[in-house]
Amino acid sequence: MGAHGPAGFDAGDLARLSINQQTVRQLSIPELLRGCRALGIPGVGLWRAPVQGFGVERTAKAVRDAGLTITSLCRGGFFTTPDPRQRAAALDDNRAAIDEAATLGTRTLALVCGGLPAGSKDLAGARERVADALAQLAPYAAERDVRLAVEPLHPMFAADRCVVSTLAQALDLAEHFPAEQVGVVVDAYHLWWDDQVPAQLVRAGAADRIAAFQLADWVTPLPEGCLLGRGQLGDGCVDLRGFRERVDAAGYRGPVEIEIFNQTLWERPGAEVLAEIAGRYREHVR
Amino acid sequence: MGAHGPAGFDAGDLARLSINQQTVRQLSIPELLRGCRALGIPGVGLWRAPVQGFGVERTAKAVRDAGLTITSLCRGGFFTTPDPRQRAAALDDNRAAIDEAATLGTRTLALVCGGLPAGSKDLAGARERVADALAQLAPYAAERDVRLAVEPLHPMFAADRCVVSTLAQALDLAEHFPAEQVGVVVDAYHLWWDDQVPAQLVRAGAADRIAAFQLADWVTPLPEGCLLGRGQLGDGCVDLRGFRERVDAAGYRGPVEIEIFNQTLWERPGAEVLAEIAGRYREHVR
């Protein structure tokens, strides 16, 4: 088949696509790798718990053997507690995550930094502890050729998941460190609403801080707890192609990772979901 | 009783308190006014639908007779549609809201500007239509001594309720007009997460743009649709007193309006909820 077949298919049109494992959590790691290979999807983003379940080195080998690339490991972070013992445990766990990323051969460890500690109203203090944790972890990560990627989460998660709520904040944190040590995750689902994002993407690209780029669509109404509200590409109101074009214009040339947590998608056959994502990616992103 | 009674009661300690009517929607307007009077709460924020049901002039008289003040009318807005006929209807409805505010004798009409039109992904376009609508309405409001108060809503509402998501955006919009014509609503529930808010409050205060100040607490998990997630003062993670002190430090001297949409509060006797709010206000805000 030529570069452009009869159905508009372009052999290279999925060259930047990566599937975050949680999007099709119903698939085992071997099933995920087979499904991606069958569709010509070259990248996967993995999560620590299923990777640990399958074995870290075994996962690394399986992905290599499948000819795929691990675009990110999710996730480190959750280091906002002021309690010294809990904080030491969180930092140890982050070092383990860095080791796992190194074993997997991915440079990108996504960090969800954590919300307010239970009972706390001290948002500024929690944000300072994020900066301190990065300072503790960045050298350790750099020695293993892993880059910490601070992910700003939507402000609706500021209390319980992540006190870093905007791309500007994430860049402010990252810029204390060399660009090869600390970057940011740009996730359109978390950032689409922010009128400062176009300027902040330019800033991020110019400083080579975009470590990962993720997509999901925004659909309403949000479900209870909001966590599983991420929508299939094209089902919502985010201008996904326009967002991708801005990220590209900022100089980013890396993978486009699709990360959708959605109960409806989880209840369908995983291979069918993968094929649908490939189609939606062609239609709404590329 | 003296200014400071045995239980720590200060006769003037509720002098700035206002209750938004939706907080105790189980109460009729006469019940709300009686309840506030009984507790020494001097202000109420009203909503158009119940006011229309009771009668606009009748409400104005009832509030005057009770010796209370109407601190705001909720709400105008919802003018982001590009459809000319729907847009004309929305502007007409906003003029009616301005007339009602004037009849009620409140200077503050809160505007919830509206989300993305159905099927639209054009956030910038919707925001431009907000600016256009303000330009249409501000002179009409000014002639009736009513100030339009642009309310930034939490970004989780950007798609379906309000494309104005930050205090900075609201001020950018307001500053096209004289301060006596267009101000902003500062609602801690919508803004607490934003690290730009301290600087934006200084900006808002210096330009005399704070038309209303509202409070609710942030509690998780959010319920489906998020709208009824607002928490009773002290039940969540917002530093309410710290926020109020910042607003005061910016030069604001007006009412502190409590606006909580919460099914659990609605199911309790309204007078009991009012008394609880007065206590929580003393404990967590004043």
Side-chain angles (χ1 to χ4, degrees), chain B residues 46-260:
Chain B
L46 300 181
W47 281 64
R48 292 183 68 197
V51 166
Q52 288 164 355
F54 190 71
V56 182
E57 297 199 9
R58 189 174 166 217
T59 300
K61 180 170 188 313
V63 177
R64 272 197 311 272
D65 290 351
L68 301 182
T69 301
I70 302 173
T71 56
S72 71
L73 179 64
C74 296
R75 61 189 183 203
F78 289 97
F79 36 45
T80 49
T81 175
D83 176 85
R85 189 174 304 188
Q86 289 176 14
R87 182 167 179 76
L91 292 174
D92 280 348
D93 188 54
N94 274 273
R95 289 187 197 97
I98 291 164
D99 293 342
E100 290 161 22
T103 300
L104 291 169
T106 179
R107 281 216 63 214
T108 301
L109 177 64
L111 301 182
V112 173
C113 292
L116 282 170
S120 169
K121 299 172 195 270
D122 181 13
L123 198 52
R127 286 169 175 161
E128 281 169 25
R129 287 191 293 280
V130 170
D132 292 345
L134 292 175
Q136 298 266 331
L137 296 170
Y140 184 91
E143 284 168 18
R144 286 150 187 83
D145 199 26
V146 171
R147 180 150 79 150
L148 304 177
V150 178
E151 180 163 5
L153 257 59
H154 193 284
M156 69 188 175
F157 296 121
D160 51 0
R161 306 192 79 77
C162 183
V163 293
V164 181
S165 304
T166 63
L167 184 52
Q169 277 182 292
L171 289 168
D172 289 347
L173 284 162
E175 285 182 353
H176 293 286
F177 307 93
E180 67 273 17
Q181 288 187 15
V182 181
V184 299
V185 179
V186 171
D187 184 325
Y189 184 78
H190 294 305
L191 303 177
W192 72 278
W193 58 272
D194 184 357
D195 68 344
Q196 301 302 305
V197 156
Q200 294 298 322
L201 283 174
V202 172
R203 173 187 171 197
D208 197 18
R209 296 280 175 178
I210 305 176
F213 174 37
Q214 298 181 328
L215 287 180
D217 216 333
W218 183 273
V219 291
T220 56
L222 291 164
E224 184 186 354
C226 302
L227 195 60
L228 305 186
R230 296 172 71 103
Q232 172 64 289
L233 310 177
D235 282 355
C237 65
V238 181
D239 176 11
L240 297 168
R241 178 170 286 110
F243 202 103
R244 193 267 303 156
E245 286 170 350
R246 280 189 194 281
V247 174
D248 286 359
Y252 180 76
R253 296 287 175 269
V256 182
E257 192 176 306
I258 312 305
E259 184 183 59
I260 308 173

Side-chain angles (χ1 to χ4, degrees), chain A residues 1 11 23 38 42 53 140 153 167-168 182 225 238 253 262 265 284-285:
Chain A
M1 201 188 308
T23 307
Y140 185 92
L153 257 57
L167 183 52
V182 182
V238 181
R253 296 288 174 270
N262 184 302
L265 294 188
H284 297 288
V285 181

Side-chain angles (χ1 to χ4, degrees), chain A residues 5-284:
Chain A
F9 179 77
D10 172 343
D13 68 349
L14 302 182
R16 293 176 67 188
L17 183 57
S18 172
I19 302 292
N20 185 284
Q21 175 171 29
Q22 279 289 324
T23 307
V24 282
R25 61 186 286 174
Q26 62 272 52
L27 297 182
S28 68
I29 286 175
E31 288 169 343
L32 171 68
L33 300 177
R34 272 199 300 275
C36 286
R37 263 187 73 95
L39 290 160
I41 297 170
V44 289
L46 299 182
W47 280 64
R48 291 183 69 197
V51 164
Q52 288 165 355
F54 190 71
V56 183
E57 296 199 10
R58 190 174 165 216
T59 300
K61 180 172 187 313
V63 177
R64 272 197 311 273
D65 290 350
L68 300 183
T69 301
I70 302 172
T71 57
S72 72
L73 179 64
C74 297
R75 62 191 185 205
F78 290 96
F79 36 46
T80 50
T81 175
D83 177 84
R85 190 174 306 189
Q86 288 175 13
R87 180 166 180 75
L91 292 174
D92 280 347
D93 188 54
N94 274 272
R95 289 184 198 99
I98 291 164
D99 293 341
E100 289 161 22
T103 301
L104 291 169
T106 179
R107 281 215 64 213
T108 302
L109 177 64
L111 300 182
V112 173
C113 293
L116 283 170
S120 170
K121 299 172 194 271
D122 181 12
L123 199 51
R127 286 169 173 160
E128 281 169 23
R129 287 191 293 280
V130 171
D132 292 344
L134 291 175
Q136 299 265 330
L137 296 170
Y140 185 92
E143 284 167 16
R144 286 150 186 83
D145 198 27
V146 170
R147 181 150 78 148
L148 304 176
V150 178
E151 180 163 6
L153 257 57
H154 193 284
M156 69 188 177
F157 295 120
D160 51 0
R161 306 193 77 77
C162 182
V163 294
V164 181
S165 304
T166 63
L167 183 52
Q169 278 182 292
L171 289 168
D172 289 348
L173 285 162
E175 285 182 355
H176 292 286
F177 307 92
E180 66 274 17
Q181 288 187 16
V182 182
V184 298
V185 178
V186 171
D187 185 325
Y189 184 78
H190 294 305
L191 304 176
W192 72 278
W193 58 272
D194 182 358
D195 68 343
Q196 301 301 306
V197 156
Q200 294 299 321
L201 283 176
V202 171
R203 173 186 173 200
D208 197 18
R209 295 283 175 179
I210 305 178
F213 174 37
Q214 298 181 329
L215 288 179
D217 216 333
W218 183 273
V219 290
T220 55
L222 291 163
E224 184 185 354
C226 300
L227 194 61
L228 305 186
R230 296 171 72 103
Q232 171 65 288
L233 310 178
D235 281 356
C237 65
V238 181
D239 176 10
L240 297 168
R241 179 170 286 111
F243 202 103
R244 194 266 303 157
E245 287 171 349
R246 279 189 196 280
V247 174
D248 286 358
Y252 179 76
R253 296 288 174 270
V256 182
E257 192 176 306
I258 311 306
E259 186 182 59
I260 309 172
F261 314 145
N262 184 302
Q263 191 64 45
T264 306
L265 294 188
W266 291 342
E267 288 168 4
R268 292 168 53 193
E272 177 187 307
V273 173
L274 287 178
E276 183 177 273
I277 288 173
R280 296 292 185 98
Y281 175 79
R282 289 189 178 101
E283 185 180 356
H284 297 288

